[in-house]
């Protein structure tokens, strides 16, 4: 006959499961930091091609030829967490005209998995910096996980579940503007592209 299992064996089993969960979370955070280093850290060691310098000098004239904001209607849109995947936005692409005013409302509501989220819009051509910008916010609890970066065009504050915020901004020149959530770990899935034409 076997002896009945003691409460210390059950307690030990629970702690084993919790240790695996905690280890997985820590491993995931370390993986995100490594990816951020690989994308930006090694990228900073590579010489910049001359085409980037030419593109930077042509970006200013593109902004100058953008249609006047008064001639374009305000583009109003609402984004929220996706119902199928609450760690993604329900809208992954935005199309606007260069110079058009955008009135974006982020409504942080999800019926099954409420999480804090925000929307951060990067400046033109900062798609490659998206992961680094979001990763730099991991320790910014007191700033709502919003990093201080000159590459940020606009952002909402970190919104708790059930809250919303409306921001207004323009995409000054033609091109792609990344948008993403900077709450730790969300940028990998919770991102999209705003394209100005």
């Amino acid at each position: 006959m076997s002896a009945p299992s003691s409460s210390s064996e059950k307690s030990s089993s629970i702690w084993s499961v919790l240790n695996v969960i905690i280890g997985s979370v820590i491993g995931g955070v370390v993986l995100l930091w490594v990816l951020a280093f690989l994308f930006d850290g090694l990228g900073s060691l590579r010489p910049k091609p001359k085409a980037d310098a030419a593109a930077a000098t042509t970006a200013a004239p593109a902004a100058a030829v953008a249609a006047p904001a008064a001639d374009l209607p305000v583009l109003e849109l609402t984004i929220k967490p996706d119902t199928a995947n609450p760690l993604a936005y329900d809208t992954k692409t935005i199309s606007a005209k260069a110079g058009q005013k955008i009135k974006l409302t982020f409504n942080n509501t999800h019926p099954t998995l409420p999480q804090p989220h925000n929307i951060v819009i990067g400046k033109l051509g900062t798609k490659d910096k998206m992961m680094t910008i979001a990763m730099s916010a991991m320790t910014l609890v007191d700033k709502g996980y919003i990093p201080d970066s000159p590459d940020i065009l606009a952002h909402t504050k970190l919104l708790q579940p059930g809250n919303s915020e409306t921001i207004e901004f323009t995409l000054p020149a033609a091109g792609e503007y990344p948008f993403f959530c900077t709450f730790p770990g969300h940028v990998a899935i919770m991102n999209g592209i705003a394209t100005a034409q």
Side-chain angles (χ1 to χ4, degrees), residues 53-183:
T57 58
T58 59
V65 297
D71 295 345
L72 299 169
V74 174
L75 175 62
E76 295 187 38
L77 55 113
T78 300
I79 295 178
K80 60 186 179 202
D82 189 55
T83 53
N85 182 354
L87 295 179
Y89 295 122
D90 69 339
T91 301
K92 314 240 183 329
T93 59
I94 300 170
S95 294
K97 299 286 184 188
Q100 183 175 20
K101 185 176 185 178
I102 299 171
K103 187 175 181 180
L104 185 149
T105 300
F106 179 55
N107 189 1
N108 189 15
T109 58
H110 193 274
T112 59
L113 185 63
Q115 291 273 313
H117 297 298
N118 61 19
I119 290 185
V120 175
I121 295 97
K123 288 187 176 177
L124 178 66
T126 58
K127 184 177 179 184
D128 292 340
K129 295 181 181 180
M130 182 172 58
M131 179 78 73
T132 304
I133 289 171
M135 293 301 292
S136 69
M138 289 186 77
T139 60
L140 300 175
V141 178
D142 59 330
K143 292 187 176 187
Y145 300 103
I146 305 292
D148 293 323
S149 172
D151 293 316
I152 294 176
L153 181 65
H155 65 83
T156 66
K157 64 185 178 221
L158 183 69
L159 298 172
Q160 294 303 318
N163 292 325
S164 65
E165 182 179 354
T166 301
I167 57 174
E168 295 181 6
F169 59 95
T170 60
L171 306 176
E176 293 185 343
Y177 299 77
F179 62 92
F180 47 94
C181 177
T182 59
F183 189 76

